[in-house]
Amino acid sequence: MAKGGRTKNKSKRSVLPRGIPQKRTQSTKHNNSTTKSTKISPFEYARSTNSSSRVKHHVHNKQVSGATATTTTTKHHTSALAKSIERRKQILTTKLSQKHKSNTFIDRRIGEANASGNGHQQSLEEDYDGMKKRRENAMLKRIVAERVRRSKRVDKFSLEDDEDEGGGFGLTHRGKAIDDTYTGQPQDETDIILSDDDDDNLDKVDTMLHFGGGKFDKSNPTTDGYYGAASSGNGTSRDMGDAYRSRKQELEERILHKKLLKAEKMKRKEDQVETFETMDESFAELAGLLDFRDKERERVEKSEKRKKGMLDADEMEMDAWDKEMKEYLFERKVKATDRTKTPEEIAKEKAKKLHELETRRLARMNGDFDEDDLSDISDDEEGGASGGKKRRREMKDKKLKAKKKQRGESGGDDLGDSDDDDDKKDDDHEVRFTADGLVYIDKEGKVVGKVGEEVQDEGSDDESDEHESDESDVESEDGSDSVSGSDDDDDDYDDDVDFTEGMKIQGNYHASEQYQGKKNWYDGTITAIRTDNAGNTLYDVTYDDGDFEEGMAGENVRPAPLSKEEKDQQTTEETEAAVAKKRKQKAKLRAKKTMPFVFEVPTTLDALHDMIAMYASTGADASLIIQRIHATNSVRLNHKNKEKMQNFYDVLLRRFVAVGDAVFNSGSGGPDLERYEQLNSLTKTLYAMSQDSPECAGSVWNRRLGIFQQAVAKRLRDVEVNSLGDACEGEFSAWPSTGMLLLMRALPHIFPSTDRRHAVVTPALLLLGQILAQTPVKTRCDVTKGLFCAALMMEYTKGAKRFPPEATAFLASALRLYADDVESVLGTSPLPSLSNATNCSQLMDLREDLSELSNVTDDDVRLSLEKDDIQSEMAPAAILVFSLRLFQQHLDIIGTSSDGSEREIFAEMTKSLLYINGSRKDLTLPTYVKNAIAETARKSASTSASDTKREPLQRRKGASAKELAIKTLAPRMEDPSRYNMSKDKGKSELQAEHDRHRREYKREHKAAMRELRLDNAFIEQERRKAKTETDNKAKEKRHKNFAWLEQEQATMNQQVRMGGSLLGGGGIGAAKAVKAKGKFGIKRGGKF
């Protein structure tokens, strides 16, 4: 029993995989609810539902203590496995139900499900909002379709009538309308009409073939045609021709009706247009009564208000907006380009372009123009074909006049005073034969030129002139090409022409037989060339008229004249050749004068100066040479250039100092030198090189700053030995040179000055502080350089809002030089370097020199490092005003703090400012200087004045790592291609990638197999469920039939047992024996 009990209570094994939630029966739920209600007390229930055990965020597969499956699994937070089962129920169930069905329902209504038949599937997946939105889209599509159907544009070219006007009429063929039921087959194809039938039937036959068909002859008329009843009212039949004519008449009436409707419509339209025109004409009278604004007057008034500056804020804003919109119209419109190029790519393009230009320059210098189009070489003003023709005509006229002079001929042009200067020159010259040949000799016996040079240069023009004169001869009337000429025609003939066989020439026909040596030239072709015993060349010529002559001498043969087209072509070619030759000469000359595009990197400053002296003539050329050196030897092109470019960086720093020293001595140098532009260009090049290799630039700067510091220390030591003087006069000074100070000014443009500690900027800042604090001040030049150093320190520290104490102390000391009582004030100077200034006459006389100035303007108070400006009479005013401006700038940078420390920071500067009160009548200050002092005092009072007592200064704590860290908003992302598992350590990159792909493939394969297993399990479960349902229905039906049969058999057996011969057969009792004897049942005759 125990074994049987275990078998009975054992649960049925499921065919689904493990882990899929099973549906619990009603009894199980009832038992669980009963157990829960009986075992859990109210206090435990409250404890299980409080905030400590309540789940706020449902996490998949997370075990929550004290929570059951029903509490962790909700309607919206189900497991992924349960969702996959639900998805399979929705998709696979529908497909299984339609598996053995061949017919589908396609809803073709507008906006409903598409023709794929998945409307039911979509309805299952959509929520209420999606169904509502889809319904609205469907209604919108139906409205659009209905409006399109009712649109007049659809029926604009339709010949049919509207249905509202009495029905339409469609196209027909053989009497039947062409619609969906049309087949195209004739009703009767047994009748054959021959082409030799009677003429009376031709129209009918034609009608039948085109519009009818079937029975069409007179002997077999139709009784019911395609166009209505064929029989007339009196019972006679009507043939197809009559039906066609009646139909034709009906169509004509219909067309006429359409034309009438169209005419009426046109008439209504014309009436409407006429009405509108009448209304427009009448509107002109009404418009005069209306009061419109005068836009032109408003525009003029607004323009006047704009000139006077009386526009309000809204109008000014609109004007600014209009101006900005109009500026957008003139902006350059460009297309989208490719990605931004890297610095390496940009550097390679620049270097490649420079190398190409250098290759072309060298080729032009060597006369190699094979692949050069000379596109950058422009022609002269008289270049081209027209200029060439003009020059040739002038040369030709000169040559003809020279010939006439040599022959002693005179023409009409030679008789008057209209001779050219060249003719007069020829008259003054005498031709003599010398060892160099025929030359021209002037009246003083000097050789002017050779005779053959002019003729040689103009040979091509003489030949073309000869050809033109030969071509102008008239041909004979019989069509022959004979041309008769004089003996002078051969004077211009070139004996150096090489004749070849087949060449077109002109021959002197039978020259030995002509009377008195007359020459007759005829066109012909050389057929053979031979040489006689004497070595003379003889020619066999065949003339164009068919005649033939053998053994012609060379003097009787000359080249054939050129045609007009050939002359034009030759002229064009000569012109182009001359222009090309001139452009090549110009290109070659320019190439020799142009500086190279590629330079070697100079290793020393002298080498750079030699290179600049050789190729540069202006300061811009020097800057261009430096830029080309950097472009063609950049570190971005080749990392091997690092060493030589690092050396070149130091050369540029020294070059910068040299140019800065030249600025102190000679100023800018005019438009040719432009030393300030050279410094700007050097700064840009230094910045670019620093970006190429920051490490190299930093090391060079550190080395150069060390050299500067050593030089400053040496000068400070030399002060004890050498007497200080004015640097403007070339005397010894402890202050650094102007070039070094200008280089320090370029430093914050190359490296960032806002860093808390920088490898280059921080040492430079310390060096400036040392210079300001320790260098003695003896002259105006020293004060100017000190103010420049103070301004540099403020420039370095203003970005980080730091406080430079040396700069403020020097400013306070410089302001005390203009106090009313200089001697007593300088003793309390905050800077030791200015405490002994009472012995310096230049510094003690600053206030006195300032009082002598009457008119001081903004243009006059310009502090410059140039020697001439420092020694000018406006220097005292410039020093004071510049100090006041630095004071104001420092006030703006520091500003007002919460602890009131600015009062002590600016205490010395404010005290120095109060010493300049202008109380002395003999040392009056200019008005401009007074205003500057008042403005500075006002700003200082508003910034540093405070009633609250300053709190004691405390040592600032060092910033923590959290405060120093820069906050980033970039999401933390890991590159999956660089992620390595522990099992991939020690492998190569290719092997690790291969193993990673193999693991990924294995995971995907297992996932696909798992999905397929789940699909198969679900399909098998559904199949078994359907099979069980079908079997149960059949079993139920079969049992029902069995029950009915058993009931019927029981009824029959009951009736048989009752006896009485009511029913025979069946049963196994006594009745069966009685029946066998024939004594039980209905007797014959229908009676018992």
Side-chain angles (χ1 to χ4, degrees), residues 509-522:
Y509 184 71
H510 291 284
S512 59
E513 300 176 1
Q514 297 298 329
Y515 178 72
Q516 294 182 354
K518 185 178 180 181
K519 298 181 179 179
N520 296 321
W521 299 94
Y522 296 92

Side-chain angles (χ1 to χ4, degrees), residues 820-848:
D820 294 344
D821 189 3
V822 182
E823 296 181 358
S824 61
V825 169
L826 285 179
T828 61
S829 175
L831 199 65
S833 59
L834 276 170
S835 59
N836 297 325
T838 54
N839 300 327
C840 304
S841 59
Q842 291 188 12
L843 301 181
M844 299 301 294
D845 295 341
L846 285 176
R847 177 65 183 270
E848 183 179 354

Side-chain angles (χ1 to χ4, degrees), residues 815-989:
L815 288 175
R816 297 190 183 198
L817 293 175
Y818 293 88
D820 294 344
D821 189 3
V822 182
E823 296 181 358
S824 61
V825 169
L826 285 179
T828 61
S829 175
L831 199 65
S833 59
L834 276 170
S835 59
N836 297 325
T838 54
N839 300 327
C840 304
S841 59
Q842 291 188 12
L843 301 181
M844 299 301 294
D845 295 341
L846 285 176
R847 177 65 183 270
E848 183 179 354
D849 295 341
L850 180 62
S851 62
E852 294 177 358
L853 300 177
S854 57
N855 297 326
V856 180
T857 60
D858 281 335
D859 297 335
D860 298 332
V861 291
R862 185 180 68 89
L863 188 65
S864 174
L865 292 178
E866 298 179 8
K867 182 171 60 176
D868 296 339
D869 294 338
I870 295 175
Q871 294 177 344
S872 64
E873 60 180 5
M874 288 295 176
I879 293 174
L880 178 58
V881 174
F882 187 75
S883 302
L884 295 174
R885 290 178 180 175
L886 283 181
F887 187 12
Q888 296 178 12
Q889 183 180 359
H890 206 36
L891 289 172
D892 295 335
I893 294 173
I894 301 299
T896 304
S897 61
S898 59
D899 54 1
S901 59
E902 67 276 0
R903 287 182 300 174
E904 294 187 3
I905 292 176
F906 301 113
E908 290 293 336
M909 299 178 68
T910 305
K911 189 185 298 184
S912 300
L913 191 63
L914 294 176
Y915 288 150
I916 314 174
N917 51 19
S919 60
R920 294 182 59 176
K921 301 298 182 180
D922 56 339
L923 298 177
T924 58
L925 297 175
T927 305
Y928 181 84
V929 176
K930 288 182 180 180
N931 296 335
I933 295 173
E935 182 181 358
T936 306
R938 194 182 309 111
K939 195 167 188 178
S940 175
S942 62
T943 303
S944 60
S946 178
D947 297 335
T948 60
K949 188 176 180 180
R950 185 187 67 81
E951 297 179 359
L953 296 178
Q954 298 179 359
R955 183 178 180 86
R956 178 182 293 180
K957 297 181 180 180
S960 62
K962 185 177 180 180
E963 294 175 351
L964 293 177
I966 300 175
K967 184 179 179 181
T968 175
L969 301 178
R972 182 179 180 181
M973 301 180 66
E974 295 181 357
D975 190 359
S977 61
R978 296 184 179 181
Y979 176 74
N980 294 326
M981 299 179 64
S982 60
K983 60 181 67 177
D984 292 337
K985 290 183 179 179
K987 297 180 182 179
S988 62
E989 184 178 357

